[in-house]
Amino acid sequence: MKLSLVVPCYNEEESVGLFQDAVIGAFDNCGYDYEIVFVNDGSKDNTLFRLKKLFKEQKCPIKIVSFSRNFGKESAIYAGMKHASGEYISLIDADLQQRPEIVRDMVKMLDEHQEYDVVAAYQDRRNEGKILRFFKKSFYNIINRLSNVKLQPDASDFRTFRRCVADNLMDMAEYHRFSKGLFAWVGYETCFIPYTACERVCGTTKWSFRKLLNYAIDGIIGFSTAPLRLSTYLGAFTALAALFYLIVVICQKLFSGIDIPGYATAIVLILALGAMQLICIGIIGEYVGRAFEQSKNRPIYIAKEVLSYEETE
Ligand code: UDP
Ligand code: MG
């Protein structure tokens, strides 16, 4: 098997059939074997039913990994890689925002350039609102400043890579997964190619702003301990400011006889210090929480059902 297309699907009942047709169209006469590994990430609509229908039709080799509940796209990617048998593995969304034709180019690139192990696509033009774009840009600035790994701005999970890269990714059994960071962490020679994301064929995006924000926090906490150091700096800065203020107050009292202003200052200081302490505890809590979750060693996903063309052959 030359190529495995790993496709996370969450409530994609209308997309999966169109996706398969697009793949068959794109890889027609490509001259090598390919398979599609659909991962049903606990969809609440008829995605699984549609996938099983495609499986029965066997228009092309299909595997289905169906989760017991929604575990998230990152877990779906992990499960898909576990079940992929291709020499090359490609991560692609089910909604056809990322065209399968580009995967064909990626495969060609890997074939022709032995020095590359990963071909990753980044969005050259984003059809998103200004605010979301601003937040995404700020996120890349922050994480690239704080962390040792460097992320390519706008690079997505839309990638094709060699099996050795997938093996390394799967060795990292972290519970809070952030693929872009994991790819940067494992290294390997990566070739970035531009692409323009198309409109979704149907359905709506599964990423709310809250989900994106949590994902961004996962990325920063997972790849940097700088926020912990920030709380140390914040503490040191507050201590110095307090010392300075103490000296000012004593001098005022001793040399000018000014009464120490009371109520308002005290309240503001108490609130400011309380807030700073809460922020620091929150930051520490993020790390402790993750360590706690990882220490439980729970699986990254639970597959309720696995169907493979290999078993029906
Ligand atoms: N997805 C998933 N689990 C989730 C959310 C999304 O498997 O909890 C899948 C989704 O079905 C799609 C891909 O991840 O194939 C990308 O999601 P989406 O298109 O909603 O994200 P966007 O393209 O808007 O960033
Ligand atoms: Mg999409």
Side-chain angles (χ1 to χ4, degrees):
M1 183 60 63
K2 170 92 167 180
L3 171 71
S4 299
L5 292 145
V6 170
V7 195
C9 309
Y10 177 56
N11 295 347
E12 301 281 5
E13 58 179 1
E14 291 156 289
S15 317
V16 286
L18 298 171
F19 175 82
Q20 180 190 264
D21 293 342
V23 169
I24 292 173
F27 288 92
D28 196 24
N29 306 323
C30 64
Y32 49 79
D33 292 340
Y34 65 91
E35 64 176 9
I36 307 179
V37 185
F38 284 110
V39 184
N40 172 38
D41 184 12
S43 299
K44 292 181 183 69
D45 63 0
N46 280 325
T47 303
L48 184 59
F49 175 76
R50 297 278 172 97
L51 287 177
K52 284 186 174 171
K53 217 169 125 207
L54 298 180
F55 183 75
K56 256 193 212 134
E57 289 167 6
Q58 291 282 337
K59 280 202 226 160
C60 70
I62 287 183
K63 286 179 185 166
I64 301 171
V65 183
S66 187
F67 286 0
S68 58
R69 65 167 169 86
N70 179 248
F71 280 86
K73 184 182 175 187
E74 291 287 343
S75 304
I77 290 176
Y78 182 83
M81 289 195 299
K82 282 261 174 208
H83 286 88
S85 37
E87 187 189 324
Y88 297 162
I89 293 170
S90 188
L91 308 182
I92 181 166
D93 292 351
D95 55 13
L96 287 177
Q97 285 194 287
Q98 304 159 343
R99 300 297 311 177
E101 288 79 12
I102 303 176
V103 179
R104 204 171 154 160
D105 297 341
M106 289 172 161
V107 170
K108 197 160 158 243
M109 189 75 127
L110 287 177
D111 276 343
E112 286 171 3
H113 296 269
Q114 286 304 316
E115 68 274 23
Y116 289 132
D117 300 300
V118 182
V119 181
Y122 66 90
Q123 291 192 45
D124 52 354
R125 264 182 300 129
R126 279 186 178 273
N127 307 322
E128 293 165 340
K130 276 208 178 104
I131 298 176
L132 193 59
R133 258 206 327 255
F134 167 76
F135 276 112
K136 287 195 173 171
K137 202 167 157 217
S138 312
F139 165 72
Y140 282 109
N141 281 340
I142 292 172
I143 196 163
N144 279 336
R145 236 164 222 248
L146 295 186
S147 137
N148 293 332
V149 297
K150 293 288 162 265
L151 304 190
Q152 166 86 8
D154 296 326
S156 56
D157 300 330
F158 184 26
R159 287 161 194 254
T160 304
F161 44 90
R162 296 184 200 279
R163 174 140 288 278
C164 55
V165 181
D167 288 341
N168 288 133
L169 289 173
M170 286 184 289
D171 280 345
M172 294 200 277
E174 31 196 290
Y175 192 72
H176 288 272
R177 301 183 77 75
F178 180 70
S179 276
K180 288 182 217 20
L182 295 177
F183 272 109
W185 197 91
V186 295
Y188 288 104
E189 281 308 315
T190 304
C191 169
F192 289 97
I193 56 167
Y195 89 106
T196 309
C198 313
E199 287 294 314
R200 248 179 174 278
V201 274
C202 40
T204 52
T205 176
K206 310 295 179 294
W207 293 86
S208 59
F209 185 74
R210 191 174 58 89
K211 246 181 153 179
L212 277 177
L213 187 67
N214 284 335
Y215 189 58
I217 292 176
D218 268 353
I220 292 171
I221 303 281
F223 285 90
S224 167
T225 49
L228 283 175
R229 204 158 310 140
L230 181 80
S231 42
T232 314
Y233 287 144
L234 211 61
F237 171 77
T238 318
L240 280 178
L243 189 67
F244 177 73
Y245 188 60
L246 181 74
I247 293 169
V248 170
V249 169
I250 291 173
C251 288
Q252 278 178 334
K253 181 73 185 161
L254 286 183
F255 301 117
S256 357
I258 302 172
D259 265 344
I260 303 156
Y263 183 72
T265 322
I267 292 291
V268 169
L269 283 182
I270 288 170
L271 287 180
L273 284 176
M276 247 179 242
Q277 284 171 359
L278 285 179
I279 291 172
C280 294
I281 292 172
I283 292 174
I284 297 166
E286 289 284 343
Y287 287 90
V288 175
R290 276 165 177 74
F292 172 61
E293 288 196 342
Q294 194 66 45
S295 72
K296 287 188 276 192
N297 229 344
R298 288 185 183 161
I300 295 170
Y301 68 91
I302 294 173
K304 191 173 160 196
E305 201 174 359
V306 179
L307 298 173
S308 169
Y309 62 91
E310 286 158 343
E311 280 142 34
T312 54
E313 270 168 3

